[in-house]
Amino acid sequence: MILAGPGSEGLARRLAQQTKGALGRAETKTFPDGEKYVRIVDDVDGPVVACQSLWPPDRLVDLLLLLDAARRAGGDPVIAVVPYLAYARQDRVFQPGEALSAQVVARAVDAYCDQFVTVDPHKADVLDYFECPTTAVSASGPVADALRERDVDCVLAPDEGALDRARDVAQRCGADVDHLEKSRVDSQTVRMRPKQLDVNGRRVAIVDDIISTGGTMATALNMLRDQGAKATYAVGVHGLFIGGAEDRLKKAGVDEILSTDTVPNATSRISVVEPVADALTATATKAQ
Ligand code: R5P
């Protein structure tokens, strides 16, 4: 049985279709003071998947309540599917005195589930903070399919740290790959250009894990246009689009903005349902 938390209903429904599982009904509400309430309506017996993306990040409470309700209703094992895992940026203590947010979240979720599945976490090592078995599903396959359909011939990572994801996508869709590199022209000007590739006349996708304010993408898009790119695509696995991010990208001349359904929005035309369903099937087979 698949249960949906608030905001994750579409993905849960598609997961149920893909896995031929039943879509269970969970009644959820928010009290006037902001407290959340969850009740599983259907009878539960056996494996239960609770699907809840952590966007906005306070959906963490919804997730914990859904997992607890699933267990109390008879779910065994209880599998948390968290397509977008918030708080993964703070995966270390960078400065003395900081909270280790990724570990706090992992421990809280871990206390209520038997398995944890997420999609392209910001840093893979956040999964080490869980004690239960974890799976990081890659969105690279569906992203590559979408770029192949658009005849993209060049995939760029916005920085060197994001190169592995970009390379994986590029290999799958048969495109060239590179990462953008910032260089300082003078005290006022920073330039961003591919380290090696010439983008002139090419169809270029910038692939990142998160589009948040869109600042990173917009800077890159402006530069790529100046360097003669024929078409530009801004692709984020998790599209958060904060504070007019979409407009910022459009102003930067993007031809299309694409994201996946880990965070549903107007640009999430790529679905991660297939690889997530495959991961669930693989864990179920292993458990038998
Ligand atoms: C950063 O480490 C992430 O991978 C993204 O590059 C970042 O979250 C993008 O943020 P923004 O859209 O605000 O530039």
Side-chain angles (χ1 to χ4, degrees):
M1 177 181 283
I2 316 253
L3 298 167
S8 296
E9 295 86 353
L11 188 60
R13 193 181 55 248
R14 290 189 289 278
L15 261 183
Q17 281 163 358
Q18 185 76 22
T19 58
K20 303 200 172 21
L23 189 63
R25 285 169 303 157
E27 180 192 337
T28 60
K29 61 184 175 191
T30 304
F31 292 106
D33 60 1
E35 285 186 4
K36 309 287 180 74
Y37 170 92
V38 177
R39 183 175 81 92
I40 312 293
V41 179
D42 294 304
D43 288 339
V44 176
D45 182 23
V48 172
V49 170
C51 181
Q52 176 70 73
S53 228
L54 296 188
W55 182 254
D58 65 1
R59 287 263 155 87
L60 177 63
V61 175
D62 299 272
L63 171 65
L64 297 177
L65 298 187
L66 190 62
L67 292 171
D68 184 58
R71 167 91 70 220
R72 289 174 190 280
D76 183 23
V78 173
I79 303 159
V81 170
V82 180
Y84 170 65
L85 177 62
Y87 289 103
R89 284 190 180 88
Q90 187 75 17
D91 64 327
R92 285 189 289 135
V93 170
F94 298 97
Q95 290 185 57
E98 288 180 344
L100 184 42
S101 316
Q103 188 184 57
V104 171
V105 170
R107 284 183 174 170
V109 176
D110 188 67
Y112 291 94
C113 69
D114 303 304
Q115 286 170 40
F116 179 82
V117 177
T118 189
V119 179
D120 279 2
H122 181 63
K123 304 253 182 77
D125 59 5
V126 295
L127 298 185
D128 296 342
Y129 294 131
F130 286 81
E131 284 186 12
C132 70
T134 59
T135 307
V137 172
S138 167
S140 293
V143 168
D145 290 344
L147 299 188
R148 197 182 306 108
E149 279 168 20
R150 288 158 178 80
D151 292 326
V152 164
D153 56 15
C154 181
V155 175
L156 296 177
D159 54 47
E160 201 172 355
L163 187 55
D164 284 350
R165 175 179 299 100
R167 186 179 288 121
D168 190 18
V169 170
Q171 277 169 356
R172 288 167 189 258
C173 67
D176 289 338
V177 68
D178 199 356
H179 70 86
L180 292 164
E181 206 169 46
K182 279 184 189 162
S183 57
R184 186 159 287 285
V185 179
D186 55 44
S187 61
Q188 301 294 311
T189 327
V190 171
R191 196 168 56 187
M192 211 183 205
R193 60 182 317 134
K195 188 158 193 266
Q196 290 171 341
L197 291 180
D198 182 358
V199 294
N200 190 22
R202 306 193 73 178
R203 303 176 67 81
V204 184
I206 310 162
V207 176
D208 205 352
D209 63 335
I210 302 170
I211 300 178
S212 180
T213 65
T216 308
M217 285 282 180
T219 310
L221 288 163
N222 279 319
M223 305 273 166
L224 293 179
R225 278 288 179 201
D226 291 349
Q227 290 157 31
K230 188 160 84 183
T232 52
Y233 298 85
V235 187
V237 175
H238 312 291
L240 311 184
F241 300 110
I242 296 160
E246 273 191 71
D247 284 345
R248 192 166 298 135
L249 301 188
K250 284 177 190 157
K251 273 192 199 132
V254 73
D255 287 284
E256 191 176 1
I257 308 167
L258 288 164
S259 65
T260 78
D261 52 359
T262 61
V263 179
N265 62 71
T267 73
S268 44
R269 289 184 287 279
I270 302 173
S271 182
V272 296
V273 164
E274 258 189 64
V276 172
D278 288 349
L280 289 174
T281 310
T283 30
T285 313
K286 221 190 280 172
Q288 278 165 9

